[in-house]
Every structure is written in structure tokens, then in C-alpha cells.
Amino acid sequence: MRLIAASASALALSTALVLGSALAADAAPADYPSWQDVQNAQASQAAKQHEIDVLTADLKLSQQKAAQAEQTEALAEETYNIAAAALDAATAKVGALQTQQKAAQATADAARKRAAGLIASLDRTGGGDPTLGIFVGSGPQTDQLLAQLGSMNHLSRTSAGIMRTAEYAQNAARALAQQASVAEAKRKDLAAQAATAYDAAQAAAATAEALVEAEESAQQTMFAQLAALKKTTAAVEAGYAAGVAQANAAAGIPPLPSGAIGAVIAFAERQLGKRYVLGGAGPTVWDCSGLTMVAWEQVGVDIGGHGSTMQYNHMRSIGHLVNIPRNSTQGMLPGDLIFYSVNGNPSDAVKTHVAMYIGGGQMIEAPNPRRRVRIVPVRYSDYESRLVPQVGRIVM
């Protein structure tokens, strides 16, 4: 069809030239591009377009590799957050059991000491067998012996009760010591897991950083090549690539809402430009969940601890998850917690990222070690993660 169209165009061009020369022979140019020139130009344009398409595909693959490395990093970091939280809970349990064990042991020791004192008192007041005096006479001496015997019986019963208390407390102390020992073994295992997870997260971060740096360098080369082919500048090309991801986003930073939510967002915005560090919770470095956690702490709200998964699970446990349309900011309110996971499903066990919606289609986040705290349009889907169609909402 293209060949037929080209032939028709050539015939029309030839006809026009003949008619044009007949009407105004002296107006025709001395020379003009031939049809072959037109075909060559079209072929050159097609070749350039092919090169552009190849480079664009390479650029997309490069971006995908970098994003996949960042996804691995995010999963490793959240695995560490979960392990660290389990370690903290185990450490607290060991401490509580040890405290209870010490209290039980102290009770047992005190009871034994008291019982020993009573037994010693019994021996001192006995001085032999007082019951013999009952059968050898009567009168005041007999009455005194009976009173002494009653006192001794009372002391005996009391000391027996105290000894039972001591025995119970000692058994409790032994049981608590055993539980503490088991808990300590588990704590050590969790500590090893947390250390391994931390090392894995750091290694994943280093790998991602090296890969992203290499890919960004390759991307800059491709931007320059694209610019040469399209006769644009590399800066414009890079700006265009970034602009596509942010198309239709609201311009500027939305105004702060009033009240407590406004205070939360204002605090988060004061952290703009600060570095990302795994486990960071201010005041100079942050990670994603550290930023949201401390921002809400400014108004006395606990959103579930330091970890994207923990914050999501806490919001679910208190009934503060709100369903929203998939791939949309419709229904989001300023202050809402925005969650991401590998598949973007609420059922995903690990939530890889958390950010805060600030209105106008934008969110504030501490993204990763290569990017500082920033405000960006809400992302719905990329190679790193997908938006979970639920937000955590704190009603003030």
C-alpha cells in the first residue's frame, strides 16, 4: 500500500510539474529535489526512528533493572524491620521473666528465713517436753504449760504455712527461670536473624546503589544519543523522561490542612531534603516508616511502630484501613498512610514501602538511600512495587 501511495504521489508530482511549466515556465526552479531524494529522506527518517525505538527500549530495560534492584533492597530492609521488632519483643519478654523470677526467689528466701526464725523460737520455748507437766499436777503451773503448748502449736502451724509459701515461691522461681532460659535462647536466635537480615539489607542496598549508579550512567549516555538523533539536548531528553512519570500531577505543594493533620504534614515537610538511612527516625536521617511514625508522634498518635508492615497491620487491627480505587488517588485524604507491596495486594505479607498523602495527588516519602526526603506525585505501579488499594486513616 505504501509503494502504491508513493507511486501515486510521484505521478501527481510529475503531473503538477508539467502543468506548472506550461502555465509559468519561467517560474520553475532550475533544480529541485527528485523523488529519489524524497525517498532517501524518508528512509533516513525511518532509520533514525528505528534507532530511537531501540534506544528507548534499552532505556526502559535499564530503568527496569534499577527498579528491580531497589525492590530487592526494599524487601530486605522491611525483612530487617520485622526481625528487629521480633527481637525487641523477645528481649522485653526475657527481661519480664527475669524480673518475675527474681521476685519469686526473693519471696521464697524471705519465707524460709521467717520459718527458720519461728522454728528457732519453738526450740527456745520448748526446753524439753512441756506435755509431761500436764500429767503430773494441776494448778497455775499446769495452766502455764497448757498456754505454752498452745503457743508452740500455733508457731508450728504458722511455720508450716510459711514453709509451704516458701516451697510454692521456690517452685515458681524455678519455672520462671526455665521460661527465661528458653526465652533467652529464642532471643539469641532472633538476634542472629536480625543481624543476618540487617547484613542482607545493607548488601542489597550496596548492590542496588552500584547497579542504579551504573544504570543511571548508561541512561545518561542513551539520553545523549537520543538527543543527537532527535536533535534535542540531553537535559531536555532527561527532563522529558522524568516528566512522563509525573504527567497530570498537581503543580506545587498543596496547602496544609488545619488542625492536627496539618501539624503532622508540616512536620514531615520540614524534613524535605534529609538523607535516607535504614532505621532512621530523625532528626537528621529517615527511612520511610520512621518518617511517618515520628510525624504522627508529634500529635500523640501511635501508628504501629517502625516498619511499613507493622504500620499496615496496626491500621488493620484497629479498623483504620480504608479501601480506595486501584490506581487512583480518589478517596485519599491528607495524612493518609499509603502502602506498597510487590503485587499491590492487601494480602501480601510484606509491605515494602509507606508514604503519606498530602493532597493534590502528591505524597511525601523517604524513598531509598539514593534519594532524599521528597514530595512526588503518588505512584500507582512501577517495577519496584505496586500501590495497595487501601490507606491507613487516622481520624482526629
Side-chain angles (χ1 to χ4, degrees):
M1 293 298 291
R2 176 173 286 186
L3 180 58
I4 295 172
S7 299
S9 298
L11 178 60
L13 179 59
S14 300
T15 303
L17 290 172
V18 171
L19 290 174
S21 62
L23 294 174
D26 58 351
D31 58 348
Y32 51 86
S34 67
W35 177 244
Q36 186 61 48
D37 292 334
V38 174
Q39 288 181 316
N40 290 343
Q42 290 175 341
S44 177
Q45 180 179 347
K48 279 183 170 47
Q49 186 60 52
H50 176 70
E51 291 182 60
I52 289 171
D53 292 342
V54 170
L55 283 173
T56 301
D58 288 345
L59 178 61
K60 184 177 181 180
L61 181 61
S62 174
Q63 292 168 335
Q64 180 178 355
K65 287 179 180 178
Q68 286 173 337
E70 291 182 338
Q71 179 190 53
T72 301
E73 176 190 5
L75 281 169
E77 290 181 351
E78 187 57 21
T79 299
Y80 164 72
N81 285 334
I82 293 171
L87 174 59
D88 288 343
T91 301
K93 182 177 180 180
V94 169
L97 286 170
Q98 290 175 339
T99 299
Q100 293 174 39
Q101 187 268 334
K102 288 178 182 177
Q105 187 64 55
T107 299
D109 292 344
R112 271 199 299 267
K113 185 176 181 181
R114 186 181 174 198
L118 287 172
I119 292 171
S121 175
L122 201 85
D123 288 340
R124 286 194 301 272
T125 55
D129 187 355
T131 58
L132 294 176
I134 299 175
F135 301 104
V136 296
S138 60
Q141 185 179 7
T142 301
D143 293 340
Q144 183 180 359
L145 289 172
L146 286 172
Q148 182 182 3
L149 179 62
S151 176
M152 291 171 63
N153 288 336
H154 173 72
L155 289 173
S156 179
R157 288 193 303 273
T158 301
S159 62
I162 293 173
M163 286 302 294
R164 283 194 296 272
T165 299
E167 183 179 1
Y168 175 82
Q170 186 63 56
N171 289 338
R174 290 194 188 99
L176 287 166
Q178 185 176 6
Q179 292 177 42
S181 177
V182 172
E184 174 62 15
K186 183 176 180 181
R187 188 200 69 78
K188 288 181 178 178
D189 182 54
L190 288 171
Q193 293 179 30
T196 300
Y198 181 81
D199 291 342
Q202 294 297 92
T207 299
E209 187 162 355
L211 182 57
V212 169
E213 184 176 344
E215 294 302 326
E216 286 180 348
S217 177
Q219 288 171 24
Q220 289 304 315
T221 300
M222 284 185 274
F223 283 137
Q225 292 172 339
L226 283 170
L229 289 171
K230 293 183 177 181
K231 295 183 179 179
T232 58
T233 66
V236 171
E237 204 52 64
Y240 172 76
V244 168
Q246 300 181 15
N248 301 321
I253 298 175
L256 289 172
S258 59
I261 293 176
V264 171
I265 295 175
F267 175 86
E269 290 180 354
R270 288 196 296 272
Q271 314 315 311
L272 288 170
K274 293 183 179 179
R275 292 189 306 115
Y276 177 104
V277 172
L278 174 60
T284 58
V285 295
W286 303 93
D287 65 10
C288 65
S289 57
L291 178 62
T292 53
M293 175 184 72
V294 177
W296 274 103
E297 284 177 354
Q298 304 308 301
V299 294
V301 175
D302 175 11
I303 61 172
H306 198 163
S308 308
T309 305
M310 288 189 291
Q311 291 179 10
Y312 177 87
N313 290 341
H314 179 70
M315 290 293 108
R316 180 178 59 189
S317 70
I318 63 175
H320 280 205
L321 286 178
V322 178
N323 294 328
I324 58 171
R326 187 172 287 278
N327 298 336
S328 173
T329 59
Q330 182 181 352
M332 290 186 184
L333 297 178
D336 283 352
L337 299 176
I338 303 172
F339 298 98
Y340 292 83
S341 67
V342 173
N343 298 309
N345 294 326
S347 59
D348 290 342
V350 175
K351 303 302 182 287
T352 56
H353 185 53
V354 62
M356 185 189 302
Y357 187 68
I358 62 173
Q362 296 186 329
M363 65 183 186
I364 188 167
E365 63 173 354
N368 56 54
R370 289 158 300 286
R371 300 177 183 89
R372 294 173 180 260
V373 177
R374 63 184 183 176
I375 291 175
V376 293
V378 173
R379 295 186 302 278
Y380 304 126
S381 176
D382 54 32
Y383 292 109
E384 179 182 350
S385 55
R386 297 178 184 273
L387 180 68
V388 176
Q390 291 177 321
V391 294
R393 180 166 298 161
I394 297 91
V395 180
M396 300 298 292

